[in-house]
């Protein structure tokens, strides 16, 4: 029985993705896009913002146990972050490539480190505030919003819908993070908006019954994996609809890091 049949739809951190998804021909590392919107930024262009201990206490009494002078950084959801509906109707996609070309960030690895630092996802010793500063200077100046982590965004869901329908796929299975809820979406009876609305925030896996394609994402990350059967989906069709790169034999969930960095 394969890993996929065993419900291991997302690999562990160190296993090469080509090994984990061995029943597929290729694996694409997709990147969640940035976007522009005719809406002013709040105090951050990220889905998360840093708040004070006092603000945290107002939201949850559990923070009463934290002293006023504790060396702790608290992150909260940014209430001013645009809704999916706002992004779908008025948003303009911005690629990682565009951000890298217009900043001193060298590559996808550095940009991902900047994004992960922005939401407090790293331990202190791994945080790259220098990279985040480069990103923030550019994104604030150009009114660019950062992607929201750990979920398929509306642009990616829209691209997935187009990719599936153009290839003639009629149904897909969607499952949540813990495989507790499964639903089948009939693509012949859905339009782009319907499809996007049916993929919830915690829906981490999208695949068709014949397993010729599988999309898998995990919490707190700004990328996902798209595994394909090349007899059904060409690499060109993936590259035309999604931004990212093809996994090589060493690529794992930890692709952001060079050997020895962590």
């Amino acid at each position: 029985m394969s890993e996929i049949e065993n419900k291991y739809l997302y690999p562990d951190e160190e296993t090469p993705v080509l090994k984990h998804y061995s029943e597929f021909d290729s694996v694409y590392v997709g990147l969640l896009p940035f976007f522009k919107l005719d809406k002013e930024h709040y105090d951050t262009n990220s889905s998360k913002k840093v708040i004070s201990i006092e603000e945290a206490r107002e939201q949850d009494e559990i923070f009463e146990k934290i002293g006023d002078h504790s060396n702790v950084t608290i992150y909260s959801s940014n209430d001013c972050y645009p809704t999916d509906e706002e992004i779908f109707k008025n948003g303009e996609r911005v690629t990682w490539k565009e951000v890298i070309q217009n900043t001193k960030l060298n590559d996808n690895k550095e940009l991902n480190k900047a994004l992960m630092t922005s939401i407090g996802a790293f331990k202190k010793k791994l945080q790259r505030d220098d990279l985040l500063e480069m990103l923030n200077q550019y994104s604030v100046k150009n009114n660019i919003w950062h992607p929201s982590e750990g979920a398929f965004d509306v642009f990616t869901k829209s691209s997935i819908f187009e990719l599936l329908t153009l290839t003639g796929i009629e149904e897909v299975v969607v499952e949540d993070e813990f495989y507790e809820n499964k639903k089948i979406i009939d693509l012949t009876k859905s339009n782009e908006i319907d499809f996007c609305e049916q993929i919830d925030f915690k829906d981490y896996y999208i695949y068709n019954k014949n397993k010729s394609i599988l999309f898998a994402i995990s919490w707190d990350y700004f990328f996902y994996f798209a595994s394909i059967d090349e007899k059904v989906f060409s690499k060109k069709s993936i590259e035309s609809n999604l931004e990212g790169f093809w996994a090589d034999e060493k690529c794992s969930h930890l692709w952001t890091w060079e050997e020895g960095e962590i």
Side-chain angles (χ1 to χ4, degrees):
M1 184 176 290
S2 71
E3 294 275 42
I4 304 305
E5 291 171 334
N6 266 322
K7 288 296 185 185
Y8 296 111
L9 299 183
Y10 197 92
D12 60 39
E13 288 190 344
E14 297 183 1
T15 300
V17 293
L18 291 179
K19 179 179 180 181
H20 181 84
Y21 296 118
S22 59
E23 62 192 76
F24 294 91
D25 296 318
S26 299
V27 180
Y28 194 68
V29 183
L31 306 171
L32 299 178
F34 294 76
F35 62 93
K36 290 183 178 180
L37 194 67
D38 291 332
K39 179 179 180 179
E40 291 298 321
H41 289 172
Y42 184 47
D43 57 356
T44 177
N45 38 17
S46 171
S47 61
K48 294 285 192 297
K49 63 178 181 178
V50 177
I51 61 174
S52 67
I53 290 179
E54 290 75 18
E55 290 174 308
R57 286 170 180 162
E58 291 178 2
Q59 296 180 17
D60 195 323
E61 61 183 16
I62 194 173
F63 291 100
E64 293 291 346
K65 299 178 180 179
I66 299 178
D68 291 337
H69 302 291
S70 297
N71 184 23
V72 62
T73 303
I74 303 172
Y75 292 82
S76 177
S77 296
N78 179 6
D79 294 335
C80 292
Y81 194 81
T83 64
D84 282 356
E85 183 178 3
E86 288 176 315
I87 299 170
F88 188 88
K89 288 183 177 180
N90 303 306
E92 176 187 345
R93 189 185 319 224
V94 176
T95 64
W96 287 42
K97 181 179 180 181
E98 178 180 330
V99 173
I100 292 168
Q101 287 179 336
N102 289 285
T103 64
K104 292 183 179 180
L105 295 163
N106 289 320
D107 51 27
N108 291 330
K109 293 181 179 182
E110 288 198 344
L111 181 46
N112 193 46
K113 289 176 183 176
L115 286 170
M116 296 292 283
T117 299
S118 75
I119 62 168
F122 290 154
K123 295 180 179 179
K124 289 285 186 181
K125 65 179 181 180
L126 296 179
Q127 291 178 4
R128 291 296 305 272
D129 292 320
D130 57 329
L131 302 180
L132 178 57
E133 179 63 21
M134 294 179 198
L135 172 59
N136 281 340
Q137 285 182 0
Y138 177 72
S139 53
V140 169
K141 180 179 179 180
N142 293 278
N143 205 35
I144 294 173
W145 291 86
H146 298 177
S148 180
E149 75 283 358
F152 293 109
D153 65 285
V154 291
F155 291 119
T156 299
K157 289 187 285 189
S158 177
S159 294
I160 289 174
F161 176 78
E162 181 177 357
L163 181 65
L164 294 171
T165 52
L166 287 176
T167 313
I169 303 297
E170 296 183 349
E171 284 186 346
V172 289
V173 180
V174 179
E175 295 196 57
D176 71 350
E177 177 182 7
F178 300 111
Y179 313 107
E180 294 173 342
N181 298 297
K182 177 190 291 188
K183 55 193 170 190
I184 296 176
I185 299 179
D186 185 345
L187 299 179
T188 66
K189 297 180 180 179
S190 302
N191 58 31
E192 183 181 10
I193 297 175
D194 294 334
F195 180 79
C196 291
E197 290 179 343
Q198 289 181 79
I199 310 296
D200 296 327
F201 184 77
K202 287 297 182 180
D203 286 335
Y204 281 14
Y205 315 109
I206 306 169
Y207 57 91
N208 66 325
K209 289 184 177 180
N210 294 331
K211 301 292 198 316
S212 59
I213 193 164
L214 164 68
F215 297 92
I217 198 168
S218 186
W219 62 281
D220 265 4
Y221 299 102
F222 295 92
F223 62 88
Y224 57 91
F225 297 121
S227 306
I228 62 168
D229 176 348
E230 290 187 33
K231 293 188 293 293
V232 180
F233 292 89
S234 68
K235 283 188 172 183
K236 184 177 180 179
S237 68
I238 300 296
E239 293 168 352
S240 297
N241 285 275
L242 306 167
E243 185 185 16
F245 57 92
W246 294 101
D248 59 21
E249 293 182 354
K250 293 183 178 180
C251 180
S252 71
H253 170 84
L254 299 175
W255 61 268
T256 303
W257 304 94
E258 301 292 345
E259 187 174 350
E261 278 192 289
I262 57 174

